Amino acid sequence: KQAQIGDVYLSSEAIRYHDRRIPLPGFDAYGVGHFPVLHLSKMAHELGLKVGVVSTGNSLDCTEKDFEMIEENNGSIKEMEAAAIAYVAHQLEVPFFTLKAVTDLIDSGLQTGPEFLKNLDLACINLLTKTQSVLSYLAANPAEWVLSST
């Protein structure tokens, strides 16, 4: 979805699981999960953040089935932590969003591990910079995110 190494994404719409496969009617939806996030599109635009659905899995690599489920989730960025945190935030009714930096591309044809390690420093630097910008923005515009969370 046009992601580049080092891009920083702000979650939009929801956080979803993509590799909790439960092939039983009614239970399959539980395996996907769907945790809403704050709607902060104005902030994303002003800070130059890409936006997209975050799809969480349990593995660094991406199987063909994972890829299919990410597509079904309308996922823009694949990662391994956000859905667990989003689940707890949802249970506690705490407003939530994520910032994620791209370290590797699941459709690049490269081995995931080496690509991840090669790009980790750049992703961390970009994520740090954007996190600082987001915190400054939220401090200066509290009405935007407080109202989004109600």
Side-chain angles (χ1 to χ4, degrees):
K1 297 195 176 186
Q2 307 304 317
Q4 301 294 317
I5 299 298
D7 285 350
V8 177
Y9 276 75
L10 172 70
S11 55
S12 67
E13 187 183 329
I15 308 293
R16 299 188 177 116
Y17 288 113
H18 66 257
D19 69 351
R20 290 177 34 175
R21 296 178 283 279
I22 306 170
L24 298 170
F27 293 91
D28 52 352
Y30 166 77
V32 173
H34 178 92
F35 309 104
V37 296
L38 286 173
H39 180 73
L40 297 168
S41 59
K42 182 180 175 194
M43 180 184 75
H45 177 74
E46 289 189 24
L47 299 181
L49 297 166
K50 290 188 173 185
V51 295
V53 171
V54 175
S55 191
T56 296
N58 292 319
S59 298
L60 183 62
D61 65 352
C62 186
T63 68
E64 186 61 36
K65 185 63 178 171
D66 291 339
F67 190 80
E68 290 171 17
M69 292 179 82
I70 292 167
E71 289 289 312
E72 288 172 15
N73 284 344
N74 193 32
S76 294
I77 190 162
K78 171 201 175 289
E79 57 84 67
M80 297 174 60
E81 303 85 16
I85 300 165
Y87 171 77
V88 173
H90 182 72
Q91 294 298 308
L92 298 174
E93 299 180 6
V94 173
F96 180 78
F97 69 92
T98 64
L99 288 176
K100 294 303 232 175
V102 176
T103 55
D104 55 279
L105 303 173
I106 61 175
D107 58 356
S108 70
L110 300 173
Q111 286 187 308
T112 304
E115 186 180 19
F116 173 88
L117 293 172
K118 174 184 171 198
N119 299 314
L120 184 57
D121 286 345
L122 172 64
C124 287
I125 290 166
N126 290 355
L127 184 59
L128 171 65
T129 301
K130 291 297 185 179
T131 298
Q132 291 170 330
S133 297
V134 165
L135 291 174
S136 294
Y137 181 93
L138 293 175
N141 300 282
E144 184 174 329
W145 62 272
V146 170
L147 292 175
S148 295
S149 65
T150 57

